Amino acid sequence: MAANNNSCTSHSTGGTRASLDQKKTSQKRLFTPLKLALLIALGVSSACATVKPYEREYLSRPSMDRENERTEAMFYSHVLDAREGATGGVGTAGGGCGCN
Amino acid sequence: MLRLLLTASVVALGVHPSRTDADAVTGTWTGAAQVRGNYYWDQSTRVLAPEVIADLAAPQGTRMRVGYLVDSITSASIAAGALEDVRFTETRHQVDLKAGHELLERKNPVDLFGGLRFSREPDYFSFASLFQPTIWLADRATMFRGRITYLHDEIGQNFRGGSGQRPDNMGGTSADRFRETLDAISVAVGWEQAITPTLLLEVGYDFTYQWGFLANPYRSVIGGQRPEEHPDQRFRNLLFSRFAWYIPKSRTSLQVLYRSYLDNWKVSAINPEFRIYQEMSPFFQMRLRYRYYKQTGAYFYKSNPNDYTFRDPYVTADPKLSAFHVNEAGIQLLVFGGFLEGRVHRSIAGASFDISFNYRWNTNAFGNQVVAVTGLRIPF
């Protein structure tokens, strides 16, 4: 019984180490993209200061500005709220269409 | 005086203030009126939703919007309350009131925007409020936006067809008055960055907490013997991004949008989208889009609603909680009235007309769907 307990303990210690290692690895996996995203964000934000107002002619084209599609997108969002499980949350108005 | 009357009448009609050009130097108020038509179709439901929107912008940077939408739903869906295989039609009325003010005199301009929305139909009332602050940095090359939204819904039942009365197996007798509530708070943050004169990046995160009655009051399982019952809380997490590239030589804009989603019902989803905007002339633009959507099912979803038992804590017959995917393709044509400059009134020359058609190949019980939208916007 004791042997069983010992083996159990040693096994569980090994298991704990393994799970700790696994946790560290998964944390590294999680943080690597986060670090990468942070670096990209910092790089991008420092680089972008160079885009002056007079250089933003193309960025202000109707096709580049999402605000121009906001009204069209409202009805479309309503449809997605009613037909997809991974959208909305606060955009849904009305339940007769089976939105819930 | 005439302008004042026009302004008042537009507000009374219900108006879109997104892109108006108020003049601070002359003290001129400007605005735009929009008329829109929205259409949705699937095998059991058709929605026709005409909409009127008016926008006003004051010279000091304040803008307002009033919108009115009437939603006519024709359905034979059980999820919408049909008791038998008959179609019924009901209407939903929605009013939007929004206002914003941009503090232009600051080194880093700030915009404060808020709004209210009311929606009513025979079996549902919804109220939503929104507050959205925005700040621009680095000569407007960088934008940070926050948004907080609160929603309160009141849900009832209104059975159509047959006796028109609530079936006894819905948890009581037809004399019972069904009334439930649903509340939600959503907090979102977004960052938009001009990377180069032709590249734009946008990323954001949206968290929503919903509590209350999250099921559908009409759906049931086990041959109609048990009403749908969902967990009464839902935590939704959504990451979204957009990368937009403008190619001056061909006057083309290429855009990639990506969304990923996860919630505590174990629904997770990915949603990439590709868009091409092509300026055919200074007055004519075409948009082509392809969207893919794939989600996993909720942890309590069963493909056969009759496989549930009375001991299951949660039961659902909702197709949008199943694992499914959607392929979607769409086209939009946008025409600006500038080619009429000098020949018609300047409002008509400044007008724009858009029409879009989207087809969705959907693999769950809703089947394939069509979404079509058209709109006319006239500035004044």
Side-chain angles (χ1 to χ4, degrees):
Chain A
M1 188 67 180
N4 274 350
N5 276 346
N6 285 341
S7 73
C8 212
T9 311
S10 66
H11 184 74
S12 81
T13 309
T16 309
R17 274 181 198 154
S19 70
L20 274 173
D21 287 346
Q22 218 169 18
K23 203 174 173 183
K24 277 180 185 171
T25 313
S26 66
Q27 276 179 344
K28 273 183 188 170
R29 275 184 196 151
L30 181 70
F31 281 109
T32 305
L34 279 177
K35 279 180 188 167
L36 195 66
L38 195 65
L39 280 173
I40 290 171
L42 284 171
V44 160
S45 58
S46 59
C48 316
T50 56
V51 184
K52 297 293 178 195
Y54 55 82
E55 295 176 316
R56 291 205 290 274
E57 178 196 346
Y58 298 127
L59 298 179
S60 62
R61 302 295 298 170
S63 58
M64 295 290 280
D65 189 354
R66 277 217 307 176
E67 284 299 317
N68 292 318
E69 298 176 335
R70 195 67 72 191
T71 316
E72 177 202 4
M74 278 168 63
F75 179 76
Y76 183 75
S77 300
H78 184 65
V79 169
L80 296 187
D81 284 354
R83 290 295 179 259
E84 292 180 358
T87 55
V90 293
T92 301
C97 53
C99 300
N100 278 7
Chain B
M1 186 62 186
L2 185 64
R3 183 171 289 275
L4 195 67
L5 279 172
L6 185 62
T7 302
S9 58
V10 166
V11 170
L13 276 172
V15 191
H16 179 123
S18 59
R19 287 286 172 248
T20 48
D21 305 294
D23 191 333
V25 178
T26 61
T28 311
W29 285 64
T30 57
Q34 285 192 64
V35 183
R36 304 198 65 81
N38 306 297
Y39 176 76
Y40 169 82
W41 172 92
D42 70 27
Q43 58 195 359
S44 65
T45 304
R46 278 177 208 169
V47 179
L48 267 175
E51 189 176 8
V52 188
I53 303 166
D55 290 324
L56 266 181
Q60 297 81 14
T62 301
R63 59 201 195 284
M64 290 159 278
R65 169 181 283 192
V66 183
Y68 172 67
L69 176 145
V70 59
D71 203 339
S72 174
I73 304 162
T74 303
S75 182
S77 166
I78 289 166
L83 283 169
E84 54 188 32
D85 192 15
V86 291
R87 287 194 169 269
F88 66 88
T89 300
E90 73 172 24
T91 53
R92 176 173 74 88
H93 300 271
Q94 179 179 302
V95 174
D96 275 294
L97 303 167
K98 290 174 182 164
H101 183 77
E102 190 171 322
L103 304 167
L104 295 163
E105 65 276 9
R106 292 168 54 95
K107 183 191 169 198
N108 296 316
V110 170
D111 184 78
L112 302 173
F113 182 78
L116 300 170
R117 188 192 64 211
F118 305 89
S119 168
R120 179 174 282 285
E121 60 195 295
D123 56 354
Y124 213 102
F125 171 75
S126 179
F127 163 76
S129 58
L130 158 89
F131 176 63
Q132 179 180 283
T134 304
I135 184 165
W136 286 272
L137 308 171
D139 283 334
R140 291 184 184 258
T142 304
M143 183 191 82
F144 290 103
R145 176 168 282 165
R147 193 188 68 224
I148 182 160
T149 312
Y150 169 70
L151 175 90
H152 175 76
D153 286 4
E154 290 176 9
I155 304 148
Q157 284 178 327
N158 187 18
F159 287 99
R160 296 93 172 174
S163 66
Q165 296 207 314
R166 186 178 185 220
D168 289 354
N169 57 27
M170 295 302 282
T173 70
S174 58
D176 289 339
R177 184 87 179 140
F178 181 93
R179 183 163 289 277
E180 295 283 354
T181 59
L182 162 64
D183 293 86
I185 284 182
S186 173
V187 179
V189 287
W191 169 44
E192 189 181 288
Q193 182 69 56
I195 302 169
T196 73
T198 56
L199 285 178
L200 198 66
L201 175 72
E202 186 182 350
V203 291
Y205 169 71
D206 189 320
F207 171 76
T208 301
Y209 170 47
Q210 291 175 290
W211 69 97
F213 185 76
L214 289 163
N216 182 293
Y218 302 111
R219 277 192 299 254
S220 58
V221 298
I222 323 175
Q225 295 182 64
R226 186 175 169 190
E228 191 175 74
E229 193 171 347
H230 290 170
D232 58 8
Q233 289 188 328
R234 195 170 184 182
F235 300 91
R236 296 164 172 255
N237 298 278
L238 176 73
L239 277 169
F240 58 91
S241 58
R242 180 176 76 118
F243 184 78
W245 178 34
Y246 189 82
I247 306 167
K249 198 174 178 182
S250 60
R251 291 181 302 198
T252 308
S253 171
L254 301 177
Q255 302 193 16
V256 181
L257 296 88
Y258 185 82
R259 291 152 56 100
S260 55
Y261 172 95
L262 181 67
D263 69 27
N264 65 325
W265 293 6
K266 305 289 185 229
V267 175
S268 60
I270 54 163
N271 173 202
E273 182 174 341
F274 305 94
R275 295 182 176 199
I276 301 173
Y277 297 76
Q278 182 61 55
E279 293 172 22
M280 319 291 276
S281 82
F283 313 112
F284 183 57
Q285 178 184 287
M286 181 170 68
R287 182 188 74 196
L288 298 172
R289 61 188 281 271
Y290 167 75
R291 178 177 181 269
Y292 177 73
Y293 173 85
K294 184 176 186 178
Q295 76 166 58
T296 60
Y299 69 90
F300 52 91
Y301 180 83
K302 290 183 181 179
S303 53
N304 184 353
N306 296 326
D307 287 346
Y308 285 108
T309 67
F310 287 95
R311 282 180 298 177
D312 284 317
Y314 305 118
V315 296
T316 186
D318 187 353
K320 67 176 178 289
L321 293 181
S322 64
F324 69 97
H325 67 269
V326 181
N327 283 287
E328 181 175 347
I331 182 169
Q332 186 208 45
L333 302 175
L334 176 61
V335 182
F336 298 99
F339 64 93
L340 296 167
E341 190 83 54
R343 284 183 275 175
V344 293
H345 188 272
R346 64 181 177 86
S347 284
I348 304 296
S352 61
F353 172 76
D354 64 270
I355 183 165
S356 65
F357 179 86
N358 303 279
Y359 196 86
R360 292 162 52 81
W361 289 268
N362 182 26
T363 61
N364 71 11
F366 288 127
N368 295 349
Q369 299 148 17
V370 170
V371 184
V373 176
T374 184
L376 175 67
R377 179 179 182 274
I378 301 175
F380 55 84

